Amino acid sequence: MTRIQVFKSRREMQLLHNVTLLKTYKFNLGFEPAGHKVQEGDGRTPEGAYLINRRNPNSRYHLSIGISYPNTNDIARARARGVRPGGDIFIHGTPDAYVNQQDWTWGCIAVKNEEMDEIYAMVQTGTRIFIYA
């Protein structure tokens, strides 16, 4: 079974098949990378266990695969704070304008376009993704 592990503080994403490491990728995050996403517009990437829930071959960020944020816990936490949880969190490529910038997304995980080609080919809808601080 394929799975993805994301280590935000190391800016390292691992693609695994069962216990075998297939590939490691470096990436950029949102403009506020520390901490779990708590509300729309906070620039953070969520932390926790999610699924890849959609694929977009026509993304304006080269290619993209969607992360199932927000889940029911995320929604409940946001409601308790009186805010909206946000959404549309993806792993995607990097437009030319952002190639030399660090942490420029709104909470997504951005890899190089060539790497996104590999990831898109190997990761299917339903793949588990674990995002760690």
Side-chain angles (χ1 to χ4, degrees), residues 1-5 14-23 50-52 122-130:
M1 174 184 291
T2 302
R3 75 176 190 272
I4 301 168
Q5 294 184 146
Q14 298 174 339
L15 189 57
L16 299 104
H17 182 70
N18 295 323
V19 295
T20 304
L21 178 63
L22 301 174
K23 190 92 184 236
Y50 297 92
L51 295 172
I52 298 302
M122 291 191 279
V123 173
Q124 300 303 312
T125 301
T127 299
R128 296 183 66 155
I129 180 170
F130 302 89

Side-chain angles (χ1 to χ4, degrees), residues 73-93:
N73 292 335
D74 298 318
I75 293 167
R77 259 182 279 178
R79 281 192 182 142
R81 296 174 62 125
V83 297
R84 294 169 42 156
D88 285 338
I89 302 296
F90 290 87
I91 299 171
H92 59 63

Side-chain angles (χ1 to χ4, degrees), residues 63-126:
L63 296 168
S64 64
I65 54 176
I67 298 171
S68 63
Y69 175 88
N71 61 28
T72 53
N73 292 335
D74 298 318
I75 293 167
R77 259 182 279 178
R79 281 192 182 142
R81 296 174 62 125
V83 297
R84 294 169 42 156
D88 285 338
I89 302 296
F90 290 87
I91 299 171
H92 59 63
T94 302
D96 291 342
Y98 296 101
V99 167
N100 295 315
Q101 292 188 28
Q102 185 172 0
D103 296 336
W104 55 271
T105 77
W106 285 89
C108 294
I109 298 166
V111 297
K112 294 177 183 172
N113 290 346
E114 311 81 60
E115 295 171 337
M116 192 61 218
D117 290 339
E118 295 174 0
I119 295 164
Y120 195 86
M122 291 191 279
V123 173
Q124 300 303 312
T125 301

Side-chain angles (χ1 to χ4, degrees), residues 22-78:
L22 301 174
K23 190 92 184 236
T24 300
Y25 302 93
K26 291 296 190 182
F27 58 79
N28 284 295
L29 290 171
F31 58 84
E32 185 60 52
H36 177 64
K37 184 165 194 61
V38 292
Q39 72 180 61
E40 184 174 54
D42 65 8
R44 294 185 179 148
T45 303
E47 297 169 359
Y50 297 92
L51 295 172
I52 298 302
N53 64 355
R54 59 203 183 278
R55 297 163 50 85
N56 184 357
N58 300 312
S59 171
R60 67 182 198 168
Y61 297 103
H62 187 61
L63 296 168
S64 64
I65 54 176
I67 298 171
S68 63
Y69 175 88
N71 61 28
T72 53
N73 292 335
D74 298 318
I75 293 167
R77 259 182 279 178

